[in-house]
Amino acid sequence: MASQYMAANNKTIYTALAANLLIAVIKFISGAVTNSSAMISEGVHSVVDTTNQFLLLFGIRRSKRSPDERRPFGYGKEVYFWSFIVSILIFGVGACISFYQGVIHIKNPPVLEDPTWNYIVLACSLLFEGTSLIVAIREFDKVRGELSWWTAIHRSKDPASFIVLFEDSAAVAGLIVVAIMVYLGHHYNNPHLDGVASLIVGVILSIVSVLLARESHSLLMGEGIAPATQKHIRSLVEKDPVIVKVQHLFSTYQSPEEVMLLLMVTFRDELETEDINEAITRIRKMIRDAYPLIHFIIIQPEKAEH
């Protein structure tokens, strides 16, 4: 199931990559021809999104490397690191350039040009970005189950899935804003609205950047399994006849597909070392059968707390 999920995410990323690469080219051509800061900002936005997709694919590839002496638990957290870099790029490049373009064109608004080419580009961009967004929504919808969208995003341990979802949503929202402002600017003969559109795009990208940074930061810093899962694991372990109590449970996601689990448990006093070893092997198998993503299980005997 996990490998199928990762394959689905790669499909989403490749779809977004192809769409953004094509859109970036036609946006820059349109912006240069019509001298529109809003279109230039949208072009930069698409370039940033394209770069982000390359970084996500790079992070996913690096996270698949096998454990070695330097990284005995593997390279799974590479995908979390590069996802965090993506969130920074969205603001540091996309939002800041949009703000810059907006301010410059509000102070020195360009002469309004024929907007026909802009409308054509915006329509094509909406078609491509909309298609990419629909793919992202459908793939994420397959794994969220009965959860609400925000809850599913917050609980997701695979940033590649919700990053593309956020990026495509921001792209569609930005295109709608630009289309409205281009129309109003020409309808009311107000070139300042072109700069305003760039500022609004910058705000949208800033919001997306903050949300993505928050989620990626949590995963990068070692987010653990859900409380309900912890409770169930405690229940499973304590049902074993040789276990008195699970004293402590620690966990962390090494990657979207790998969890490390540390259990501090109290065994019955009369057990021999061989009995304890057999129990540890039995408990590990029981946990892995119930939760295949828990690859690393460390069980440490501990005396009962008084």
Side-chain angles (χ1 to χ4, degrees):
M1 181 64 71
S3 60
Q4 291 177 355
Y5 185 28
M6 292 300 295
N9 284 339
N10 286 349
K11 173 185 175 183
T12 303
I13 296 172
Y14 281 119
T15 301
L17 175 62
N20 285 314
L21 193 58
L22 180 60
I23 292 169
V25 174
I26 59 177
K27 281 179 180 176
F28 278 125
I29 294 174
S30 174
V33 171
T34 62
N35 199 25
S36 170
S37 71
M39 290 304 299
I40 295 295
S41 295
E42 277 295 306
V44 172
H45 181 184
S46 294
V47 169
V48 172
D49 284 351
T50 302
T51 304
N52 290 345
Q53 268 94 60
F54 276 117
L55 291 178
L56 285 175
L57 291 170
F58 178 72
I60 291 172
R61 181 177 179 181
R62 287 182 62 86
S63 71
K64 298 298 182 182
R65 290 186 296 170
S66 300
D68 53 32
E69 291 183 358
R70 294 186 61 192
R71 298 289 185 274
F73 295 109
Y75 290 78
K77 288 194 174 182
E78 286 269 7
V79 70
Y80 297 151
F81 170 77
W82 290 106
S83 297
F84 188 71
I85 295 298
V86 164
S87 68
I88 294 174
L89 282 177
I90 290 175
F91 175 78
V93 179
C96 289
I97 290 180
S98 293
F99 285 134
Y100 174 78
Q101 288 283 336
V103 171
I104 292 298
H105 283 75
I106 287 176
K107 289 183 176 180
N108 301 291
V111 178
L112 291 175
E113 303 284 349
D114 184 357
T116 303
W117 181 241
N118 280 347
Y119 290 137
I120 295 173
V121 171
L122 287 169
C124 293
S125 299
L126 274 172
L127 176 62
F128 296 137
E129 292 283 13
T131 301
S132 179
L133 178 58
I134 289 172
V135 171
I137 289 174
R138 286 179 176 175
E139 295 301 331
F140 193 77
D141 201 38
K142 292 178 182 178
V143 298
R144 73 181 180 93
E146 300 298 323
L147 298 175
S148 67
W149 282 94
W150 179 247
T151 301
I153 290 170
H154 185 63
R155 291 187 182 180
S156 174
K157 309 307 175 187
D158 186 3
S161 61
F162 57 76
I163 283 180
V164 174
L165 193 63
F166 272 114
E167 284 185 345
D168 287 345
S169 298
V172 170
L175 288 167
I176 293 173
V177 167
V178 171
I180 292 173
M181 288 301 179
V182 168
Y183 171 77
L184 292 177
H186 284 81
H187 183 74
Y188 293 104
N189 195 30
N190 186 349
H192 293 88
L193 292 180
D194 187 77
V196 172
S198 292
L199 293 180
I200 295 175
V201 170
V203 171
I204 292 172
L205 293 178
S206 297
I207 293 172
V208 168
S209 175
V210 170
L211 291 175
L212 291 180
R214 176 189 171 188
E215 296 300 320
S216 298
H217 174 266
S218 177
L219 292 167
L220 186 60
M221 295 303 293
E223 187 172 320
I225 57 179
T229 305
Q230 294 183 34
K231 183 178 180 180
H232 186 230
I233 291 175
R234 284 178 179 271
S235 175
L236 286 176
V237 175
E238 290 176 350
K239 284 180 181 178
D240 192 287
V242 303
I243 301 298
V244 176
K245 185 180 180 181
V246 176
Q247 300 292 350
H248 303 286
L249 186 155
F250 306 98
S251 65
T252 181
Y253 273 83
Q254 294 297 109
S255 78
E257 300 177 346
E258 294 182 338
V259 176
M260 179 187 294
L261 178 69
L262 170 61
L263 295 173
M264 311 288 284
V265 302
T266 300
F267 292 89
R268 288 167 50 187
D269 291 335
E270 67 271 17
L271 295 179
E272 300 291 338
T273 301
E274 183 178 350
D275 297 326
I276 292 176
N277 289 336
E278 289 178 356
I280 289 175
T281 300
R282 182 172 63 249
I283 292 169
R284 281 175 175 162
K285 183 179 185 304
M286 178 176 58
I287 293 174
R288 287 196 179 104
D289 288 344
Y291 298 98
L293 292 185
I294 303 181
H295 291 190
F296 306 104
I297 302 175
I298 303 171
I299 300 176
Q300 176 68 41
E302 184 175 275
K303 291 184 178 180
E305 297 179 345
H306 298 290

